[in-house]
Amino acid sequence: MIKLRWNTISTRLFVWFLLSTLFLLLILSGIFYRYSTEQMNGRFAEIARKNVSQALDNFSLLAQGYNSLSKTITTNSDIQRILTEGDTTPSLALINERTIINLLEAAFYSRNDLIAIHVIANNGKVYSHEAAVHPYAPDFLKSSWYTDIRRSQGEMIWFGMHKTTITVQDQPVISFGRLIYDLYSREPIGVLLIEASPLPILTTLNNVQTGEAGATYILTGSGSALKHELLAETGAGDSLPQGIESMLHLQEDARIVSSSSRENLIVVGRQPVLGWSIVNVTPKSSFQVQLEQANRFFIIVLGLLLLAAILLATLMSRSISAPIIRLVREMKALERGSLNTIEAVPLL
């Protein structure tokens, strides 16, 4: 076992060099650790914000496309004429039905995500074109969605994902519609309802996720969470975690509402046309894995630097103390009268 003699000059030099080096290493290590942690947290926060912002842009393009499609249908001159005049004879009724269905068919094939388009006259007659024939839902004129459209002022009304709207679908759909006004009298003459595939929305939500443990919430215009079992498959939630409501000062741009002071990274953004808002909640533990990997690498580097500091302190203490020790030995030999052992001592 090697014992250090603390009263020797070499040991003292070694300790001083080692402590000085360790002090500098600790200061630099603390600065680097804090900087790297802040940078990594900021990077994840910015990635989450950009994901939500991109999702809002995708929703905007989707909403604008649907809005343009609905305006094209509701302002069509033939649809306006038929819904205003009504049917007078069976033959005319057949011609009118064929005319509207041909128009709906052309609109249907203008997009590849549509499932069905329905025009409902004031008398309850339905003109439809859909990808597959489905039976009508019973008493659909008493449905909440129909009431909401009839009470509107002509703006687009967006609904959530439903399994049943006007027809009994064998797949979930996202539905939206608007009231059809007579362009001259400004009186309502019917209702337009469009049913589309939720796949574009679900794909967009998949791209929002920044971690496996995260969750994405879609809020409707009333502030309630959009609920559907398909959302759970994308990591989306159907109810907001407690305490998030107070942070929802909804704006159009995606922004970080909680990052450094809470356990979750929360990003909120709003799509004004749809009236929907996206809330992305990512637990910080989900992206601490990379931070832990960086910390392990940092500890390894710090250990190597510590070994290098010990080696450097040893070499420097020996290089300084060796000539001094040699000089002391020669002086003691000179005191004993042993002049033969005196050698030239190199100057430092």
Side-chain angles (χ1 to χ4, degrees), residues 242-303:
Q242 186 177 4
I244 292 184
E245 292 87 346
S246 59
M247 306 176 188
L248 300 181
H249 306 293
L250 300 179
Q251 299 177 359
E252 295 183 11
D253 295 331
R255 71 194 189 285
I256 301 169
V257 298
S258 178
S259 178
S260 59
S261 60
R262 298 178 180 269
E263 296 180 356
N264 296 323
L265 172 65
I266 303 174
V267 182
V268 177
R270 184 172 184 270
Q271 209 296 312
V273 178
L274 288 170
W276 291 356
S277 300
I278 299 177
V279 179
N280 178 250
V281 181
T282 305
K284 291 186 176 180
S285 58
S286 64
F287 57 80
Q288 290 294 326
V289 176
Q290 295 190 17
L291 186 59
E292 291 175 359
Q293 293 177 351
N295 289 339
R296 285 195 294 267
F297 176 76
F298 175 73
I299 291 174
I300 294 174
V301 173
L302 186 61

Side-chain angles (χ1 to χ4, degrees), residues 106-182:
F108 180 88
Y109 288 108
S110 66
R111 299 181 61 96
N112 57 8
D113 57 344
L114 298 181
I115 294 178
I117 304 177
H118 312 281
V119 172
I120 309 169
N122 284 342
N123 60 7
K125 186 173 182 179
V126 181
Y127 305 91
S128 299
H129 182 82
E130 50 186 319
V133 178
H134 298 90
Y136 287 161
D139 298 329
F140 67 88
L141 292 178
K142 298 180 181 179
S143 302
S144 59
W145 61 264
Y146 184 78
T147 303
D148 291 340
I149 296 179
R150 294 295 300 187
R151 290 177 179 175
S152 67
Q153 301 298 319
E155 71 278 7
M156 182 75 84
I157 304 298
W158 303 92
F159 305 102
M161 297 184 202
H162 306 276
K163 286 185 176 179
T164 301
T165 49
I166 190 172
T167 56
V168 181
Q169 296 280 353
D170 55 359
Q171 59 181 323
V173 296
I174 178 171
S175 55
F176 49 93
R178 70 191 321 150
L179 195 60
I180 304 176
Y181 279 97
D182 187 331

Side-chain angles (χ1 to χ4, degrees), residues 5-79:
R5 299 175 61 185
W6 298 103
N7 59 342
T8 61
I9 188 172
S10 60
T11 301
R12 293 181 179 181
L13 288 173
F14 171 78
V15 171
W16 277 110
F17 280 125
L18 182 60
L19 291 178
S20 300
T21 306
L22 289 178
F23 179 73
L24 293 176
L25 281 177
L26 289 176
I27 292 178
L28 293 176
S29 300
I31 295 174
F32 175 77
Y33 176 79
R34 182 175 180 179
Y35 175 79
S36 60
T37 302
E38 291 178 352
Q39 289 295 312
M40 189 165 293
N41 288 335
R43 185 182 67 178
F44 275 102
E46 184 61 20
I47 290 174
R49 190 196 67 79
K50 288 183 177 179
N51 286 345
V52 172
S53 180
Q54 184 176 6
L56 292 174
D57 292 339
N58 292 341
F59 281 177
S60 295
L61 293 176
L62 198 65
Q64 290 171 7
Y66 289 150
N67 193 36
S68 299
L69 177 65
S70 67
K71 288 181 179 179
T72 301
I73 296 174
T74 57
T75 58
N76 181 272
S77 59
D78 288 330
I79 291 179

